[in-house]
Amino acid sequence: MATAAGSRCLLLLLLLLLLGVLGAPALGDPGPLEDVVIDRYYIPKICLREAQMGDFIRYHYNGTFKDGKKFDSSYDRGATVAGVVGVGRLITGMDRGLQGMCVNERRHLIVPPHLGYGSIGVAGLIPPDATLYFDVVMLDIWNKNDKLQITTLSKPERCNRTVENSDFVRYHYNGTLLDGTPFDSSYSKGSTYDTYVGTGWLIKGMDQGLLGMCAGEKRSIIIPPFLAYGEKGYGTVIPPQASLVFSVLLVDFHNPKDGVSLEHLEVPESCNRRAVTGDFVRYHYNGTLMDGTLFDSSYSRNQTYNTYIGKGYIIPGMDQGLQGVCMGEHRRVIIPPHLAYGENGAGDKIPGSAVLIFDVHVIDFHNPEDPVEIETVFRPEGCNVTTRNRDFVRYHYNCSLLDGTRLFSSHDYEKPQEVTLGANKVIEGLNSGLLDMCAGERRVLIIPPHLGHGESGARGVPGSAVLRFEVELISMEEGVPEGYLFIWHGEPPASLYEQMDLNKDGGIPADEFSTFIKTQVAEGKGRLMPSSDPEKVIADMFRNQDRNQDGKITPDELKLKSDEDQEKIHEEL
């Protein structure tokens, strides 16, 4: 008698044989699919978001039957498919197969008939009970609740101001679709995109995405379609319902209401005077755009920029920006384009609508009406005798520019400087500064260029330079009136010629003339024009009297300077 377990085994064997005869699926055949089969054959390394029920998506696909015959393709139509996933607007198999996809992910979907077009199919296209095969690539995902996605890629350390509505901005950008497909780039055009923010000239997403940016900042801005070009897209480059990705570099911005902005980088402790309209200023500068691009520099030319301020000789922003500077000041002047070169720019280095930044170092300035500035550093007590024009003076000096650049010094030589004041032997400002000084007095003189070496300058002295002299008067000798080489302290001798003619031979040679003059000086009866070489002065006097240049003075030739002047007046009358 068979056991119960053996009976069950025999029954199972008979059942399997029966199913085989009736044509049941062979072993290894899974039979009809119950759900969509998903093969994620490419998954991007970065997946910021997966498609969820209710999301709007854009994708491309090829649809085939099991034998590979194509029944539909978005590629063939030249347009992506856009729709909402998971809400029944697609066949159920596609609805399920698209969920959880990343942008740029690729899937192979097998959709059984009951999740496709079922037993009815699509007339002339898909037969009844057809299993469908789809190759899908996801291109875009967004939702009506989405907002801008702004990522700051880099930001400058210095940011005094950020973009606000109504500002005019200049920026570079690369624009791509969410799958990375490029559609536009300012770099390829070789110029920035220039426009107003918040006035409707941009798509809403860019209007919002630029707010709060610093000049020099880089951002990634992801804009959903409803803040971009929406259902219509834009031309052939931006499909309908496309999210846009902009990589933005803000080059500069300004507001039409902006004035000049100043930053006082370094102001000297001593600032006795500030520049005003009409002053002539010498300054060095570096000129840059807001992104740091250098467009000009006086340093590269090794020469200051020299100009009047407030008179329209320079751009209005610099005319304003230099007002009130101190000598030696370092100042940053930020100039909006409407006070610089406007919409047209200048040359190939300053773009249209560019904000300009000038880092300025003021070397000196003066006014054409400025006198010599005299500061007495030391004046001896009991100073009763001071210098006048025609006096002969000896002095030491140090000469420099106002920025401290050393030019000349009498200390570089063995002896002090010597000069007859008022004889046009030194610059006018120095001559003025040496007047009314006592021996031993020390002064600081500030000499404007029109009393110095003028616009042309001199060897070692820049044009239009204000000079600083430190002077010390060593000694002084009383001078003689202009045109005189010798003056009498009283009345000259009545018989002047006879006294000069020492050997009474009727002619006065150079040695007799020299001996006589020296005797008068020694006895205090007269004085020579002061000079470092009295012999030369006497020789000049003899030459003036020896009118026929025969080496001796005759009675007809000897004349006093006062008599000569009187004769000249008579001749002129």
Side-chain angles (χ1 to χ4, degrees):
M1 186 173 179
T3 63
S7 297
R8 286 196 297 273
C9 289
L10 180 60
L11 182 61
L12 180 59
L13 180 60
L14 292 171
L15 180 59
L16 290 172
L17 289 172
L18 179 60
L19 288 172
V21 172
L22 294 175
L27 291 175
D29 187 346
L33 297 174
E34 295 183 1
D35 202 350
V36 61
V37 175
I38 301 173
D39 176 14
R40 303 178 71 182
Y41 65 90
Y42 175 75
I43 302 174
K45 292 181 179 179
I46 299 175
C47 181
L48 302 178
R49 178 175 183 174
E50 296 180 350
Q52 305 294 324
M53 185 179 295
D55 282 344
F56 286 80
I57 58 173
R58 282 193 318 108
Y59 59 95
H60 262 310
Y61 72 89
N62 281 318
T64 63
F65 298 119
K66 186 175 183 179
D67 61 3
K69 181 180 178 182
K70 187 190 306 182
F71 64 82
D72 194 15
S73 172
S74 62
Y75 296 99
D76 293 346
R77 293 193 297 274
T80 55
V81 178
V84 182
V85 67
V87 294
R89 296 182 183 177
L90 302 171
I91 59 173
T92 305
M94 186 65 83
D95 246 353
R96 295 180 184 179
L98 294 174
Q99 292 189 46
M101 285 191 78
C102 306
V103 172
N104 284 326
E105 181 177 343
R106 295 176 180 270
R107 289 185 176 182
H108 182 69
L109 308 179
I110 304 175
V111 179
H114 66 281
L115 298 179
Y117 294 96
S119 59
I120 298 176
V122 177
L125 182 63
I126 298 175
D129 297 319
T131 298
L132 307 179
Y133 296 79
F134 292 94
D135 276 304
V136 181
V137 56
M138 182 65 67
L139 302 177
D140 202 342
I141 305 168
W142 59 278
N143 194 288
K144 287 184 176 180
N145 297 322
D146 285 350
K147 297 180 181 180
L148 286 181
Q149 297 180 48
I150 299 175
T151 304
T152 300
L153 304 177
S154 67
K155 193 171 185 177
E157 293 182 4
R158 177 177 169 272
C159 182
N160 296 332
R161 178 183 161 191
T162 60
V163 174
E164 300 175 359
N165 280 324
S166 80
D167 282 344
F168 189 87
V169 296
R170 295 196 311 117
Y171 62 93
H172 271 302
Y173 68 90
N174 286 317
T176 66
L177 305 179
L178 203 59
D179 67 341
T181 301
F183 63 81
D184 196 11
S185 172
S186 64
Y187 296 98
S188 66
K189 301 182 182 71
S191 63
T192 55
Y193 191 81
D194 307 341
T195 188
Y196 287 94
V197 173
T199 56
W201 290 20
L202 293 165
I203 57 175
K204 291 181 179 179
M206 188 61 84
D207 252 348
Q208 297 175 23
L210 294 171
L211 294 176
M213 285 191 79
C214 304
E217 182 176 343
K218 292 182 180 179
R219 279 184 178 180
S220 172
I221 304 172
I222 302 178
I223 305 176
F226 56 86
L227 295 176
Y229 294 97
E231 296 180 359
K232 295 182 179 180
Y234 187 81
T236 59
V237 293
I238 299 177
Q241 301 290 20
S243 300
L244 306 182
V245 180
F246 287 93
S247 176
V248 175
L249 168 62
L250 185 64
V251 175
D252 73 13
F253 67 96
H254 73 280
N255 195 284
K257 297 179 181 179
D258 284 349
V260 172
S261 177
L262 303 178
E263 295 181 22
H264 303 279
L265 305 178
E266 182 181 338
V267 181
E269 292 183 6
S270 174
C271 183
N272 298 326
R273 176 182 162 191
R274 295 178 180 272
V276 296
T277 293
D279 282 344
F280 190 88
V281 184
R282 295 195 316 123
Y283 59 95
H284 271 303
Y285 69 89
N286 284 320
T288 62
L289 306 179
M290 285 191 80
D291 64 355
T293 301
L294 182 72
F295 63 80
D296 193 16
S297 173
S298 64
Y299 297 99
S300 66
R301 296 186 290 275
N302 196 31
Q303 184 175 352
T304 56
Y305 191 83
N306 309 330
T307 187
Y308 288 94
I309 63 169
K311 291 190 170 185
Y313 292 160
I314 48 181
I315 57 175
M318 189 60 84
D319 250 350
Q320 296 177 26
L322 291 173
Q323 296 283 336
V325 292
C326 300
M327 293 186 189
E329 180 176 345
H330 290 261
R331 177 180 285 193
R332 177 169 290 147
V333 184
I334 304 173
I335 305 176
H338 53 274
L339 296 176
Y341 295 99
E343 296 180 3
N344 296 324
D348 58 355
K349 291 189 175 181
I350 300 178
S353 300
V355 177
L356 306 183
I357 300 176
F358 289 90
D359 282 322
V360 174
H361 178 205
V362 177
I363 304 301
D364 63 32
F365 59 86
H366 73 281
N367 193 282
E369 298 179 0
D370 283 350
V372 175
E373 293 181 28
I374 300 175
E375 177 189 354
T376 300
V377 178
F378 172 76
R379 189 176 180 97
E381 294 182 4
C383 174
N384 299 320
V385 180
T386 60
T387 54
R388 297 178 296 175
N389 272 328
R390 309 307 303 170
D391 285 350
F392 183 76
V393 297
R394 293 178 178 85
Y395 62 96
H396 272 304
Y397 72 90
N398 293 314
C399 177
S400 63
L401 302 179
L402 291 190
D403 65 352
T405 301
R406 183 179 183 273
L407 297 180
F408 313 107
S409 175
S410 63
H411 296 282
D412 295 337
Y413 304 95
E414 294 181 357
K415 298 187 298 182
Q417 184 79 9
E418 299 176 337
V419 72
T420 298
L421 297 178
N424 297 319
K425 299 298 183 181
V426 293
I427 57 175
E428 184 178 349
L430 180 56
N431 194 94
S432 299
L434 289 170
L435 294 175
D436 196 33
M437 286 189 78
C438 303
E441 183 174 343
R442 296 194 301 273
R443 288 179 174 179
V444 172
L445 312 177
I446 306 298
I447 302 176
H450 55 276
L451 299 176
H453 292 285
E455 294 181 7
S456 301
R459 185 176 181 181
V461 180
S464 300
V466 179
L467 303 179
R468 183 181 190 273
F469 278 86
E470 298 172 352
V471 295
E472 179 182 6
L473 187 65
I474 305 301
S475 64
M476 57 179 287
E477 298 177 31
E478 188 178 2
V480 297
E482 185 175 0
Y484 286 77
L485 297 176
F486 174 88
I487 62 170
W488 297 97
H489 289 161
E491 291 296 324
S495 55
L496 179 59
Y497 188 85
E498 288 75 9
Q499 292 190 33
M500 277 190 183
D501 186 9
L502 300 179
N503 61 8
K504 309 304 179 184
D505 64 353
I508 304 171
D511 57 342
E512 283 187 350
F513 182 85
S514 176
T515 300
F516 176 80
I517 293 299
K518 288 178 181 178
T519 300
Q520 304 308 304
V521 172
E523 294 177 354
K525 295 179 180 179
R527 69 177 185 272
L528 289 166
M529 181 186 77
S531 168
S532 59
D533 187 359
E535 296 290 348
K536 182 179 182 303
V537 175
I538 294 173
D540 288 342
M541 290 174 63
F542 179 81
R543 191 163 37 253
N544 290 341
Q545 296 296 325
D546 182 16
R547 302 177 193 278
N548 63 7
Q549 304 300 306
D550 63 353
K552 62 182 179 180
I553 301 172
T554 64
D556 293 336
E557 291 177 321
L558 182 66
K559 294 179 181 179
L560 295 174
K561 179 74 167 58
S562 57
D563 295 336
E564 290 180 344
D565 292 343
Q566 193 63 37
E567 289 179 3
K568 186 180 294 185
I569 292 173
H570 178 74
E571 290 172 359
E572 290 175 353
L573 291 174

